[in-house]
Amino acid sequence: MKYLIEQIETPEIKAETLVAQMDVKENLNVRMRGVFSRNYGEDLIGISHDRDTTTLYLSRNGVFHILPEGLFFEENRLRTTRNDYFEGKYDKFKKEAEKVKSFFQIFDTEYFKQSFDLEQTLNAITERGNTVLINPCLNKPEMDTRNEYLEKLKPLLPFVSELRGNLVLLPNLLKETLSVEKVEIIKIKPLYVHIILHKAGLSKEEFWEMDRDVAEFFEFFYRWFLPAEMEYEYKIKSYKEPFTLGSTLILDYNTRL
């Protein structure tokens, strides 16, 4: 596709995406050339400028291509026994077809503008991140939290339908999100799991701080990443350190009775 004087390779990129990046501010007109050229060309065939108007040529079907031809041309118009009947008829028929396409051009342009507005909205969302998708899920205008674990989990919300209940993938997700050494998910019952977070070397203060943040984290994690019918419990454990009297011992963390 040639834009102004530069040749741009744009295979399999829709016209709305390209035009949004060009920052075209003039009045837009759209001419649909039909999908036939899509077999060997691109969605955006070309662009022309006329004063304050920009015309886009697309390899798409417009209203004219979708409607039955019988609405515009007589069915038996080309049936004749005269040998000279078709002399000069091609140009005449082509001009008539162009008139019909010009009539529907305003509709094609309006449909494209709606799609173009959606593309610009999606671009704006991408630039701001996915908070527009996240906040409605949380039923909050903003998700302002100091919980570092939730901050790491937020970008995964758009993919929650693929992650929910995946007990093979979730241990790795929890390991990276919670910055622990290992995560075990043990099925106690078909719909009950025991989640063990292995984190060694925590002091008493660090343990309670982590336990508080993890509690808030798992309320959110359970809501979005585990099936609604499944129940869970979690524990922060350290089994590496030897049980030695006089060392830092925290009940249910690095001690066993």
Side-chain angles (χ1 to χ4, degrees):
M1 186 272 297
K2 189 174 183 181
Y3 178 62
L4 298 182
I5 61 173
E6 296 183 13
Q7 189 72 25
I8 305 174
E9 298 297 331
T10 56
E12 300 181 1
I13 301 178
K14 63 181 181 178
E16 290 87 345
T17 303
L18 295 172
V19 176
Q21 299 304 317
M22 294 174 187
D23 193 25
V24 177
K25 298 180 180 179
E26 298 89 345
N27 294 327
L28 279 179
N29 279 328
V30 176
R31 290 184 177 272
M32 304 298 189
R33 297 305 194 193
V35 296
F36 176 78
S37 59
R38 184 69 67 84
N39 295 322
Y40 57 85
E42 302 166 351
D43 186 27
L44 181 58
I45 300 174
I47 301 176
S48 65
H49 298 275
D50 182 15
R51 295 181 182 178
D52 61 344
T53 301
T54 299
T55 302
L56 309 177
Y57 300 91
L58 309 182
S59 58
R60 301 181 186 178
N61 283 337
V63 177
F64 171 78
H65 301 91
I66 297 174
L67 295 175
E69 294 182 358
L71 292 175
F72 316 111
F73 305 102
E74 296 179 7
E75 182 179 356
N76 299 321
R77 188 173 182 178
L78 299 179
R79 291 186 179 181
T80 180
T81 58
R82 291 172 49 189
N83 295 330
D84 61 343
Y85 178 78
F86 293 101
E87 294 182 4
K89 295 294 184 181
Y90 173 78
D91 292 335
K92 181 180 179 181
F93 294 157
K94 186 176 180 180
K95 290 180 180 179
E96 292 180 5
E98 287 299 325
K99 289 181 180 180
V100 177
K101 291 179 182 178
S102 297
F103 174 79
F104 288 111
Q105 183 180 346
I106 186 174
F107 299 100
D108 294 335
T109 299
E110 185 60 31
Y111 296 149
F112 178 83
K113 285 182 177 179
Q114 293 183 15
S115 179
F116 182 57
D117 290 342
L118 176 61
E119 180 71 21
Q120 290 182 310
T121 301
L122 292 175
N123 288 344
I125 292 174
T126 302
E127 291 175 0
R128 295 196 305 266
N130 56 11
T131 55
V132 174
L133 299 175
I134 295 171
N135 291 336
C137 297
L138 299 172
N139 297 318
K140 296 180 181 180
E142 296 291 342
M143 184 180 178
D144 185 12
T145 176
R146 296 183 179 180
N147 191 318
E148 60 175 317
Y149 306 133
L150 288 178
E151 288 294 330
K152 293 180 181 179
L153 197 65
K154 285 196 303 182
L156 297 177
L157 280 176
F159 312 102
V160 70
S161 61
E162 302 175 16
L163 296 172
R164 182 183 290 115
N166 189 335
L167 299 184
V168 176
L169 185 60
L170 288 180
N172 288 329
L173 185 151
L174 288 172
K175 175 184 175 182
E176 298 300 327
T177 303
L178 300 174
S179 300
V180 296
E181 299 157 8
K182 181 182 177 182
V183 173
E184 294 181 84
I185 298 182
I186 304 172
K187 271 193 174 183
I188 306 300
K189 299 178 182 178
L191 295 177
Y192 191 91
V193 294
H194 183 60
I195 303 173
I196 303 176
L197 312 175
H198 293 270
K199 181 74 171 179
L202 294 177
S203 65
K204 181 178 180 181
E205 292 75 16
E206 291 172 336
F207 172 79
W208 288 117
E209 182 179 355
M210 181 177 181
D211 188 60
R212 182 189 67 245
D213 291 342
V214 167
E216 181 183 7
F217 169 86
F218 268 103
E219 289 181 6
F220 181 82
F221 180 83
Y222 173 69
R223 180 181 178 186
W224 294 105
F225 291 88
L226 291 179
E229 66 275 10
M230 181 174 286
E231 297 183 15
Y232 79 99
E233 64 178 7
Y234 74 90
K235 297 290 183 181
I236 303 173
K237 296 290 187 179
S238 175
Y239 294 148
K240 289 186 176 181
E241 298 178 15
F243 181 83
T244 305
L245 293 177
S247 61
T248 303
L249 299 176
I250 303 174
L251 187 62
D252 204 25
Y253 167 60
N254 58 1
T255 60
R256 298 186 187 183
L257 295 181

